């Protein structure tokens, strides 16, 4: 199935197709009308889906995506001034302290074109691909507040216009948004609605002259909500489907100039304090009918696509931040002396740096692999991969930032150093753009849905008692338990992994194959009721994230060796280390997923939580309590 | 072995009629003057558990002097004489003091303790640990401690031991936990391995284990104010942290224009947000019922409550919300393939569900007539506007009033037998006393 978002990406990366653009758009819209409901499998999933079947779709991820020399030059030319700007002009401490990004900084960002990174050149943007966007995000992330402000503007705020806007809407809004004259915001969350679209209360009612929609309701936690000029707002509208009146979500482009819009007081936050987050209320705000994004009642898909497409850049952002932190802390570790030894000679400090390097390496690998997949012409859906990048990098980022602070000890805890700010800023990562819990559900369930479709017939056959099939399964299991190595074609004759990474590739293959049978047995055991087994799904998601990370590092390191990048031996070391560690973690998790596994404490954990949730308090007696 | 005891007996016989203080003095002189006797006469130790001040009013003293002349005095008399004045802890203590002071030999202490145990509830000291310790202190010390293996093997001073066990048993029945003083007294009186000591150890083993066994404890003292009590009861019935108690009307007396005095009953109700939601979903064409009164027992107190409920929805009325694929913005809420849970992983029990119909709210009032309950419903209507459209039927049983009266009359006539009283409170401090409706009625009728 065609998809507007893919097409947008497609159009950006493949410039020469610009002429076809308008024609395509029209066609897409036709297709979209036919498609009533969103289904996760409506587009072909890219890579992760095959992992759930115990297969590696190596054409998707090998070789590691590259950009052309021209593009590389272009991006390097872009990166240099941005880097300079962030190092010299941006005073992060001041932004954090005053909870405001100064106007001159914003102007500097506008001049650099950072407000229109992904807007096509014809509309005055930089027209960069996802890969190049990821590269810029590495630098932008040096200041959390600016990164969030820019992301709210273009990763979600104006994305709706990019992927679902009509030509007229694009012409009207994109140029000013690209220049930064107008700033965009994305208004979806409401006091009573996070992921639950059914509880969205904001309502758009058609005025009597049928020329306007009147918007009423309140949206909360709107990044840039205080000063955004253009907002993508989602609201309930009445639609007639098959003669029955129904409420459906629609998306609107709302200008602040339309009137009836008030912004609340900016929220005082733990981190990213310079970014503006506030409540936005609509009181009979008139929105012209031509400002409806896509179809009336088609807002759900638009929201979902916007959310799914914005996540991949967090990997490179986190990696950029960690790389910066490594520079800062290694300086300290090398100069600080204790017992006539510098800190860098202590094993426990060294370990922290190794953790940081590993995390940065894996995040980078995953982020650019995913960005490359998204840039590839074609309509594959890599939203699962993007979600995996987001989960991995937000959690890895948190660990690294806190380890970096730990290297400095008490100094890191003071406001004299930027580490505490990084820790605070970093804490938002697992929360926004879909909390990691929800993304884990998305990752696991999307994969399960795919595997379920493929395996249903086979499992049903097995349940009926097809002995041949059962024996075949048994044989497969026996074979793997006797240590017969699995060959999924990563190495060997048609191998894609460099021989110096052969061992790690074997580990990945073994893990993937075991994961396939784990998924199968989970489907056998739980069927579609697996939706309710959140702890199992969490493990499944963690597993598949690890598998994807392993793939990414193997692919990247293989390429590095093959083309002889500087320090590629170090990359091999990192890749092997990460794979070895992930291998054991995966094996443990898969053991936990077995039936009646003693490693699995889920039932107890649930009981523990249930008891205290019933009482809404910690219910143990105090240790000093007596009964006689 | 028995010779010092004989000697003691002789001496006390000879000294009969003299004051106790002099008696002790006299007792001591011969014993100290006879160094040749191998066994030193033991005197009575005052124990740590004894009360500090022993100021006995003169009249009691006189009275007791008179009584002492009659040898076969029942100790119940002593209590009953005192009881005519006032039945308080102080009086009870005085009686015990009189007994201990009257006779250094503490003659008849077993009978005295039995009598005292019987009289404790009457004096309202049946839950007072210090009083039990004081009673234990009546036993002479060290006399009953076995001193050789034969004594230890057999039941040494069985009557005294039984008496002490009886005392501990009564403590147990009232849920009173012995303390260190009790232990010290028992060791002083009967020694380390006596029956009362064993009883003590058993109590100390079980009581702490049972102390918090009731997850819904009732405080020993219930709130006095009926509104507070209703609040407590409603929270107890609803057992929902979200539920909100509303006082719809406070009890008060008003004088109408015609000069009549009108007493308004209190109305206290409870409702949780989920109950409100259920009520809004209720089909307004089907009636809701106000039913009651239902009894709720809190220890020895019975209160009544009323409920607002509806019949379970008809099978065709139940609408299951269809799955909306556009519900969740982030992940599919349902998977789209045809594969159920495997039997081996289905851990749910086969439970036959009987739909009882929803309860929308509960209330308590001291006047269960229709007018009062109607007031409650109209109070509820403010937060549940649906009630304005739904027909409300009152299905009230005969109110609790006559039952109450009946119970009052009967309880005046006869106290509950001791055994029943004791059995009721076998748990330390709290115990569940919520019985079934039928059971309660029956037990009341029995009285």
């Amino acid at each position: 199935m065609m998809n507007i978002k893919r097409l947008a990406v497609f159009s950006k990366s493949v410039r020469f197709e610009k002429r076809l653009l308008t024609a395509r758009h029209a066609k897409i819209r036709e297709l979209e009308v036919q498609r009533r409901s969103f289904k996760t499998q409506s587009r072909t999933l890219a890579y992760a889906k095959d992992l759930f079947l115990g297969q590696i779709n190596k054409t998707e991820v090998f070789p590691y995506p590259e950009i052309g020399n021209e593009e590389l030059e272009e991006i390097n030319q872009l990166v240099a001034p941005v880097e300079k700007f962030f190092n010299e002009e941006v005073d992060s401490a001041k932004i954090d302290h005053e909870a405001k990004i100064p106007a001159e900084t914003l102007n500097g960002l506008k001049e650099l074109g950072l407000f229109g990174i992904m807007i096509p050149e014809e509309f005055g943007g930089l027209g960069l691909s996802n890969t190049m966007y990821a590269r810029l995000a590495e630098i932008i992330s040096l200041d959390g507040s600016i990164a969030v402000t820019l992301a709210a503007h273009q990763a979600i705020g104006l994305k709706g216009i990019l992927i679902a806007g009509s030509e007229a809407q694009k012409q009207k809004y994109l140029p000013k948004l690209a220049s930064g004259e107008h700033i965009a915001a994305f208004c979806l969350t409401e006091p009573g609605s996070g992921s639950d679209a059914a509880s969205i209360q904001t309502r758009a009612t058609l005025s009597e002259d049928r020329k306007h929609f009147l918007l009423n309701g309140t949206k909360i936690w709107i990044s840039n909500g205080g000063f955004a000029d253009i907002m993508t707002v989602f609201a309930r509208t009445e639609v007639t489907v098959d003669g029955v009146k129904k409420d459906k979500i629609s998306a609107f482009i709302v200008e602040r100039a339309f009137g009836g819009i008030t912004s609340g007081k900016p929220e005082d936050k733990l981190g990213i304090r310079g970014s503006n987050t506030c409540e936005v209320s609509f009181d009979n705000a008139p929105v012209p009918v031509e400002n409806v994004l896509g179809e009336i009642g088609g807002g759900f898909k638009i929201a979902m696509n916007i959310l799914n497409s914005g996540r991949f850049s967090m990997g490179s952002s986190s990696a950029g931040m960690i790389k910066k932190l490594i520079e800062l802390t290694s300086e300290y570790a090398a100069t600080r002396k204790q017992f006539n030894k510098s800190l860098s000679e202590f094993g426990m400090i060294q370990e922290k740096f190794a953790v940081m390097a590993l995390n940065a390496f894996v995040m980078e690998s995953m982020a650019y692999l995913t960005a490359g997949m998204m840039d590839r012409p074609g309509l594959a859906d890599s939203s699962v991969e993007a979600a995996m990048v987001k989960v991995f990098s937000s959690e890895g980022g948190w660990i690294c930032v806190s380890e970096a602070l730990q290297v400095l000890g008490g100094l890191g805890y003071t406001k004299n150093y930027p580490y505490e700010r990084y820790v605070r800023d970093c804490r938002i990562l697992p929360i926004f753009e879909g909390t990691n819990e929800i993304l884990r559900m998305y990752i696991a369930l999307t994969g399960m849905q795919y595997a379920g479709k493929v395996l249903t017939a086979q499992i049903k056959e097995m349940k009926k008692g097809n002995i041949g099939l059962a024996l075949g399964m048994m044989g497969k299991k026996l074979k793997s338990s006797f240590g017969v190595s699995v060959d999924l074609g990563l190495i060997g004759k048609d191998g894609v992994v460099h021989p110096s990474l052969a061992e790690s590739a074997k580990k990945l293959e073994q893990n993937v194959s075991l994961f396939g049978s784990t998924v199968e047995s989970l489907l056998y055991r739980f069927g579609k009721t697996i939706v309710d087994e959140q702890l199992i799904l969490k493990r499944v998601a963690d597993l598949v994230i690890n598998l994807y990370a392993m793939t990414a590092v193997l692919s990247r390191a293989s390429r590095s060796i093959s083309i002889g990048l500087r320090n590629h031996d170090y990359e091999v070391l990192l890749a092997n280390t990460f794979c070895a560690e992930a291998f054991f973690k995966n094996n443990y998790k898969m053991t936990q997923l077995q039936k009646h596994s003693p490693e699995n404490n889920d039932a107890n954990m649930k009981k523990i939580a249930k008891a205290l949730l019933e009482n809404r308090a910690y219910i143990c007696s105090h240790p000093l309590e007596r009964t006689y | 072995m028995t010779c010092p005891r004989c000697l003691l007996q002789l001496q006390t016989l000879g000294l009969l009629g003299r004051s106790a203080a002099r008696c002790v003095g006299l007792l001591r002189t011969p014993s100290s003057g006879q160094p040749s006797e191998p066994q030193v006469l033991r005197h009575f130790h005052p124990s740590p558990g004894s009360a500090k001040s022993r100021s006995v009013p003169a009249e009691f003293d006189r009275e007791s002097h008179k009584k002492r002349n009659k040898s076969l005095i029942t100790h119940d008399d002593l209590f009953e004489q005192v009881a005519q004045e006032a039945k308080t802890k102080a009086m009870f203590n005085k009686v015990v003091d009189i007994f201990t002071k009257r006779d250094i030999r503490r003659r008849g202490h077993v009978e005295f303790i039995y009598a005292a145990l019987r009289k404790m509830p009457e004096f309202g000291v049946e839950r007072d640990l210090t009083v039990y310790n004081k009673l234990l202190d009546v036993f002479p010390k060290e006399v009953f401690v076995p001193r050789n293996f034969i004594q230890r093997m057999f039941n040494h001073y069985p009557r005294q031991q039984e008496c002490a066990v009886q005392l501990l048993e009564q403590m147990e029945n009232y849920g009173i936990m012995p303390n260190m003083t009790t232990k010290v007294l028992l060791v002083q009186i009967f020694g380390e391995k006596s029956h009362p000591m064993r009883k003590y150890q058993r109590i100390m083993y079980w009581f702490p284990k049972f102390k918090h066994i009731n997850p819904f404890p009732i405080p020993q003292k219930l709130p006095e104010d009926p509104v507070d009590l209703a609040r407590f009861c409603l929270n107890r019935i609803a057992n929902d942290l979200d539920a909100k108690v509303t006082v719809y009307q406070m009890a008060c007396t008003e004088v109408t224009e015609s000069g009549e005095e009108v007493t308004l009953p209190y109305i206290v109700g409870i409702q949780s947000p989920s109950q409100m939601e259920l009520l809004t979903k209720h089909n307004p064409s089907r009636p809701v019922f106000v039913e009651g009164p239902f009894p709720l027992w809190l220890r020895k107190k019975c209160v009544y409550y009323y409920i607002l409920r509806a019949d379970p929805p008809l099978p065709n009325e139940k609408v299951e919300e269809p799955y909306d694929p556009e519900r969740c913005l982030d992940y599919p809420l349902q998977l789209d393939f045809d594969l159920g849970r495997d039997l081996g992983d289905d851990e749910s029990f086969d439970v036959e569900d009987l739909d009882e119909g929803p309860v929308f709210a509960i209330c308590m009032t001291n006047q269960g007539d229709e007018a009062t309950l109607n007031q409650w419903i109209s109070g509820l209507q403010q937060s549940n506007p649906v009630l304005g459209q739904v027909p409300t039927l009152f299905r009230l049983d005969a109110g609790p009033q006559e039952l109450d009266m009946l119970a009052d009359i009967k309880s005046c006539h006869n106290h509950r037998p001791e055994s029943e009283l004791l059995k009721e409170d076998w748990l330390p401090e709290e115990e569940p006393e919520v019985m079934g409706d039928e059971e309660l009625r029956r037990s009341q009728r029995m009285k």
Side-chain angles (χ1 to χ4, degrees):
Chain A
M1 260 252 187
M2 288 284 221
N3 175 279
I4 29 169
K5 187 211 120 197
R6 290 290 344 152
L7 199 95
V9 172
F10 183 53
S11 66
K12 267 171 269 151
S13 51
V14 193
R15 302 277 166 79
F16 55 82
E17 280 205 27
K18 264 181 197 164
R19 283 169 289 128
L20 297 173
L21 204 68
T22 23
R24 283 266 175 122
H25 265 294
K27 197 175 156 200
I28 301 309
R29 210 147 300 121
E30 276 169 32
L31 283 167
E32 210 185 309
V33 179
Q34 292 165 6
R35 204 175 60 197
R36 281 267 157 66
S37 65
F38 181 87
K39 284 194 184 122
T40 38
Q41 71 278 13
S42 57
R43 283 181 291 171
T44 9
L45 295 162
Y47 167 74
K49 66 176 197 297
D50 293 306
L51 295 176
F52 284 84
L53 296 174
Q55 291 158 4
I56 294 176
N57 188 352
K58 54 185 182 180
T59 51
E60 285 279 348
V61 286
F62 290 98
Y64 198 72
E66 289 181 325
I67 52 173
N69 276 330
E70 285 164 42
E71 274 178 303
L72 184 62
E73 213 157 284
E74 189 189 336
I75 191 76
N76 282 340
Q77 274 172 11
L78 256 171
V79 162
V82 176
E83 206 157 15
K84 189 162 168 265
F85 179 78
F86 271 86
N87 285 334
E88 290 169 11
E89 317 262 322
V90 175
D91 184 354
S92 296
K94 194 178 154 209
I95 293 176
D96 182 64
H97 182 71
E98 288 173 4
K100 195 175 190 311
I101 304 172
E104 53 268 35
T105 313
L106 280 176
N107 285 334
L109 294 170
K110 285 171 190 171
E111 275 161 31
L112 285 164
L114 295 182
F115 276 83
I117 303 178
M118 292 183 83
I119 296 175
E121 277 167 300
E122 54 175 299
F123 300 116
L126 296 178
L128 298 188
S129 64
N130 288 301
T131 309
M132 285 149 87
Y133 177 73
R135 177 72 187 94
L136 277 180
E138 258 183 62
I139 300 151
I140 295 170
S141 70
L142 293 182
D143 185 281
S145 302
I146 294 178
V148 169
T149 303
L150 288 180
H153 169 73
Q154 57 195 334
I156 48 177
L158 59 80
K159 200 68 152 263
I161 304 177
L162 266 183
I163 63 179
S166 66
E167 196 57 30
Q169 286 168 344
K170 287 184 179 181
Q171 291 287 4
K172 185 174 175 195
Y173 291 111
L174 286 183
K176 281 189 177 169
L177 288 167
S179 68
E181 192 182 335
H182 282 169
I183 290 177
F186 181 77
C187 307
L188 176 65
T189 311
E190 288 187 15
S193 160
S195 298
D196 187 355
S199 43
I200 287 181
Q201 297 293 327
T202 303
R203 180 170 281 283
T205 34
L206 201 56
S207 65
E208 277 177 18
D209 55 5
R210 304 186 76 79
K211 280 182 184 160
H212 286 90
F213 278 100
L214 292 176
L215 218 54
N216 279 298
T218 304
K219 299 283 185 182
I220 55 165
W221 299 329
I222 307 305
S223 297
N224 297 350
F227 48 76
D229 309 279
I230 312 289
M231 285 171 253
T232 311
V233 184
F234 294 85
R236 221 155 248 293
T237 43
E238 204 168 72
V239 203
T240 315
V241 183
D242 307 327
V244 187
K245 278 189 178 173
K246 259 173 121 182
D247 270 354
K248 287 207 142 200
I249 307 295
S250 302
F252 300 90
I253 307 171
V254 181
E255 292 178 39
R256 189 177 286 271
F258 290 161
I261 302 170
T262 42
S263 303
K265 206 171 116 261
E267 305 283 348
D268 194 7
K269 305 187 290 290
L270 172 74
I272 51 167
R273 295 174 53 81
S275 71
N276 174 290
T277 310
C278 64
E279 194 184 281
V280 178
S281 307
F282 301 92
D283 180 25
N284 275 330
V287 183
V289 272
E290 57 267 25
N291 272 28
V292 174
L293 259 182
E295 289 287 315
I296 275 285
F300 183 83
K301 274 167 288 173
I302 296 174
M304 206 150 164
N305 285 333
I306 294 173
L307 291 173
N308 279 340
S309 67
R311 292 178 184 129
F312 73 97
S313 68
M314 202 180 284
S316 64
S317 309
S318 292
M321 195 173 61
I322 295 167
K323 285 194 270 185
K324 175 86 177 169
L325 284 173
I326 290 177
E327 277 173 32
L328 292 170
T329 43
S330 56
E331 172 93 24
Y332 176 83
T335 48
R336 163 95 171 169
K337 291 217 167 176
Q338 290 285 291
F339 318 114
N340 291 331
K341 271 175 158 182
S342 67
L343 272 193
S344 52
E345 287 174 66
F346 293 106
M348 285 197 223
I349 300 294
Q350 288 169 353
E351 192 202 10
K352 294 187 199 307
F353 283 99
V355 166
M356 286 194 264
L358 273 170
N359 268 302
F361 179 71
V362 179
M363 281 174 209
E364 244 178 20
S365 311
M366 286 171 89
Y368 286 101
L369 176 63
T370 311
M373 275 159 71
M374 291 167 80
D375 282 336
R376 196 176 306 147
L379 290 167
D381 175 6
S382 29
S383 59
V384 179
E385 283 79 3
M388 294 198 279
V389 173
K390 194 260 170 178
V391 172
F392 185 91
S393 53
S394 57
E395 278 164 20
W398 173 247
I399 293 169
C400 290
V401 171
S402 106
E403 288 286 38
L405 189 146
Q406 187 73 19
V407 171
L408 275 90
L411 282 184
Y413 199 67
T414 63
K415 289 222 170 196
N416 304 335
Y417 288 83
Y419 304 98
E420 58 87 29
R421 193 185 72 237
Y422 276 111
V423 169
R424 285 189 284 113
D425 285 355
C426 216
R427 192 60 188 84
I428 190 64
L429 297 182
I431 300 172
F432 72 177
E433 302 219 14
T435 62
N436 283 8
E437 286 71 25
I438 277 198
L439 289 182
R440 282 201 164 89
M441 291 291 282
Y442 174 65
I443 295 164
L445 285 177
T446 312
M448 280 292 173
Q449 169 69 68
Y450 177 77
K453 278 262 178 213
V454 176
L455 295 176
T456 302
Q458 190 191 333
I459 291 173
K460 276 199 166 163
E461 200 62 15
M462 234 156 46
K463 283 199 177 177
K464 265 188 227 153
N466 188 327
I467 294 172
L469 210 74
L471 279 180
M473 284 286 296
M474 286 250 290
K476 233 167 92 183
K477 273 190 184 154
L478 273 177
K479 227 165 97 184
S480 60
S481 67
F482 281 122
V484 177
S485 61
V486 209
D487 186 13
L488 297 175
L490 287 184
I491 43 176
K493 194 163 154 279
D494 291 320
V496 282
V497 174
H498 192 273
S500 48
L501 292 160
E503 206 146 296
S504 298
K506 274 277 156 237
K507 281 180 182 148
L508 173 62
E509 285 181 345
Q510 211 175 318
N511 266 176
V512 168
S513 132
L514 189 57
F515 180 62
S517 54
T518 305
V519 167
E520 192 180 318
S521 80
L522 288 178
L523 284 170
Y524 184 93
R525 285 172 58 196
F526 297 105
K528 51 201 239 184
T529 62
I530 192 122
V531 182
D532 305 320
E533 305 288 332
Q534 292 210 339
L535 292 180
I536 288 176
L537 290 174
K538 182 187 168 213
R539 287 206 186 86
V540 169
D542 284 342
L543 276 164
V544 77
I545 291 170
N546 274 342
L547 294 178
Y548 184 57
M550 285 164 93
T551 316
V553 294
L554 285 175
S555 175
R556 173 178 172 191
S558 294
R559 169 180 175 265
S560 301
I561 309 170
S562 307
I563 63 170
L565 285 183
R566 186 187 291 279
N567 292 337
H568 63 252
D569 53 336
Y570 188 67
E571 285 185 31
V572 173
L573 179 65
L574 285 172
N576 281 331
T577 315
F578 176 76
C579 287
E581 215 176 281
F583 178 67
F584 290 119
K585 278 187 199 158
N586 287 346
N587 280 336
Y588 184 66
K589 284 200 161 77
M590 284 190 274
T591 319
Q592 285 184 316
L593 284 178
Q594 282 166 6
K595 201 173 178 178
H596 305 309
S597 153
E599 286 88 350
N600 188 327
N601 250 337
D602 291 356
N604 284 355
M605 297 299 261
K606 276 190 189 168
K607 257 192 212 165
I608 292 169
K610 211 177 137 208
L612 72 83
L613 287 172
E614 265 167 21
N615 292 281
R616 301 190 192 170
Y618 174 71
I619 54 172
C620 293
S621 297
H622 194 275
L624 301 179
E625 199 74 10
R626 301 180 52 124
T627 49
Y628 61 91
Chain B
M1 218 14 252
T2 45
C3 65
R5 211 167 284 132
C6 287
L7 192 67
L8 259 170
Q9 246 162 18
L10 274 171
Q11 276 166 340
T12 33
L13 274 172
L15 290 164
L16 222 134
R18 295 196 191 167
S19 76
R22 277 182 66 193
C23 165
V24 174
L26 278 169
L27 262 171
R28 273 183 190 153
T29 25
S31 65
S32 54
Q34 287 173 355
S36 55
E37 208 182 67
Q39 204 157 12
V40 179
L41 191 72
R42 287 172 300 157
H43 54 86
F44 299 129
H45 296 265
S47 85
S50 57
K52 282 156 209 156
S53 62
R54 297 190 179 203
S55 58
V56 183
E59 35 177 335
F60 286 140
D61 232 14
R62 244 181 289 123
E63 222 174 296
S64 56
H65 278 281
K66 267 183 261 163
K67 290 269 158 60
R68 213 188 307 164
N69 297 330
K70 299 183 211 163
S71 55
L72 278 172
I73 170 184
T74 56
H75 298 286
D76 281 2
D77 290 350
L78 198 53
F79 281 106
E80 256 146 44
Q81 278 171 10
V82 180
Q84 286 164 358
E85 270 187 44
K87 293 181 176 184
T88 59
K89 184 180 167 183
M91 282 298 177
F92 193 88
N93 281 341
K94 268 175 209 165
V95 174
V96 179
D97 282 341
I98 291 165
F99 179 80
T100 42
K101 286 247 177 101
R102 185 164 64 184
D103 180 1
I104 191 65
R105 307 293 317 280
R106 311 234 172 128
R107 186 192 303 273
H109 63 262
V110 172
E111 289 78 7
F112 175 75
I113 291 172
Y114 277 128
L117 285 180
R118 262 197 311 279
K119 291 289 173 189
M120 281 177 92
E122 226 174 281
F123 283 78
V125 290
E126 76 275 20
R127 289 178 195 277
D128 196 326
L129 175 61
T130 54
V131 174
Y132 283 102
N133 282 343
K134 201 174 166 64
L135 268 185
L136 259 188
D137 202 16
V138 170
F139 281 109
K141 311 292 166 324
E142 289 193 11
V143 185
F144 311 134
V145 180
R147 273 181 287 173
N148 56 40
F149 74 97
I150 295 180
Q151 288 179 348
R152 229 168 315 230
M153 221 152 69
F154 293 102
N155 213 353
H156 197 45
Y157 283 102
R159 279 192 66 223
Q160 279 75 5
Q161 292 211 36
E162 263 165 37
C163 176
V165 168
Q166 188 58 49
L167 186 142
L168 288 167
E169 180 111 356
Q170 184 164 332
M171 285 173 78
E172 186 184 345
N173 287 335
Y174 282 111
I176 307 302
M177 178 133 46
N179 64 1
M180 207 28 105
T181 318
T182 321
K183 187 181 178 181
V184 170
L185 279 169
L186 286 173
V187 171
Q188 277 181 349
I189 300 164
F190 297 106
E192 286 281 1
K193 293 206 165 167
S194 53
H195 288 292
M197 201 50 204
R198 299 260 188 227
K199 179 76 193 171
Y200 167 84
Q201 283 163 342
R202 281 178 192 131
I203 293 177
M204 290 308 278
Y205 178 81
W206 286 112
F207 263 31
K209 285 183 176 52
F210 284 150
K211 191 169 182 189
H212 295 296
I213 205 141
N214 184 1
F216 305 103
I218 308 177
Q220 199 59 250
K221 264 194 76 134
L222 290 168
E224 295 279 325
D225 180 29
V227 175
D228 284 345
L229 184 69
R231 212 184 278 270
F232 171 77
C233 296
L234 289 171
N235 275 322
R236 189 177 165 81
I237 300 170
N239 191 27
D240 184 345
L241 292 170
D242 287 326
K244 218 179 102 206
V245 176
T246 319
V247 180
Y248 294 100
Q249 186 174 293
M250 290 297 271
C252 59
T253 322
E254 270 178 18
V255 183
T256 55
E257 286 167 17
S258 55
E260 265 180 284
E261 267 199 13
V262 180
T263 348
L264 290 173
Y266 65 86
I267 308 170
V268 187
I270 193 166
Q271 197 181 30
S272 69
S274 52
Q275 283 173 320
M276 284 166 88
E277 203 184 312
L278 274 176
L279 192 50
T280 48
K281 281 184 190 154
H282 180 74
N283 181 359
S285 63
R286 288 164 59 85
V288 291
F289 306 103
V290 176
E291 286 182 4
F294 301 106
L296 171 76
W297 281 92
L298 302 157
R299 292 190 190 276
K300 284 167 204 161
K301 192 161 176 62
C302 183
V303 288
Y304 295 88
Y305 63 92
Y306 299 84
I307 61 171
L308 176 70
R309 62 169 282 262
D311 280 335
L314 300 172
N316 55 6
E317 268 185 350
K318 283 182 201 164
V319 217
E320 258 190 41
E321 248 181 65
Y323 169 59
D324 178 9
E326 297 202 354
R327 176 86 196 255
C328 180
L329 282 160
D330 292 289
Y331 60 90
L333 291 174
Q334 269 183 30
L335 293 183
D336 180 29
F337 51 80
D338 182 27
L339 210 59
R341 192 178 263 252
D342 190 52
L343 279 177
D345 280 279
D346 194 1
E347 276 154 8
S348 58
F349 294 105
D350 187 21
V351 181
E352 197 178 346
D353 270 338
L354 263 179
D355 212 344
E356 259 199 286
V359 173
F360 299 124
I362 312 171
C363 96
M364 277 180 144
T365 169
N366 54 347
Q367 197 178 310
D369 53 27
E370 218 176 291
T372 315
L373 292 169
N374 216 347
Q375 229 168 333
W376 169 48
I377 298 298
S378 51
L380 270 178
Q381 206 174 316
Q382 290 180 353
S383 46
N384 303 275
V386 191
L387 276 177
Q389 309 154 26
V390 183
T392 311
L393 298 182
F394 289 87
R395 294 205 292 211
L396 304 175
D397 296 344
Q401 286 87 358
E402 53 253 64
L403 264 178
D404 264 350
M405 256 147 53
L406 213 71
D408 279 347
I409 295 161
K410 295 224 166 157
S411 65
C412 284
H413 283 309
N414 57 330
H415 298 296
R416 282 198 270 179
E418 188 88 344
S419 61
E420 194 194 333
L421 226 172
L422 294 180
K423 246 170 232 159
E424 196 181 301
D425 298 61
W426 67 281
L427 268 184
E429 291 195 14
E430 350 298 332
E431 78 273 20
E433 279 187 324
V434 191
M435 294 184 238
D437 180 9
E438 272 291 66
E439 212 177 327
L440 281 170
R441 297 239 164 100
R442 214 177 303 129
S443 71
Q444 269 186 337
R445 225 169 284 135
M446 266 160 61
K447 269 182 265 158

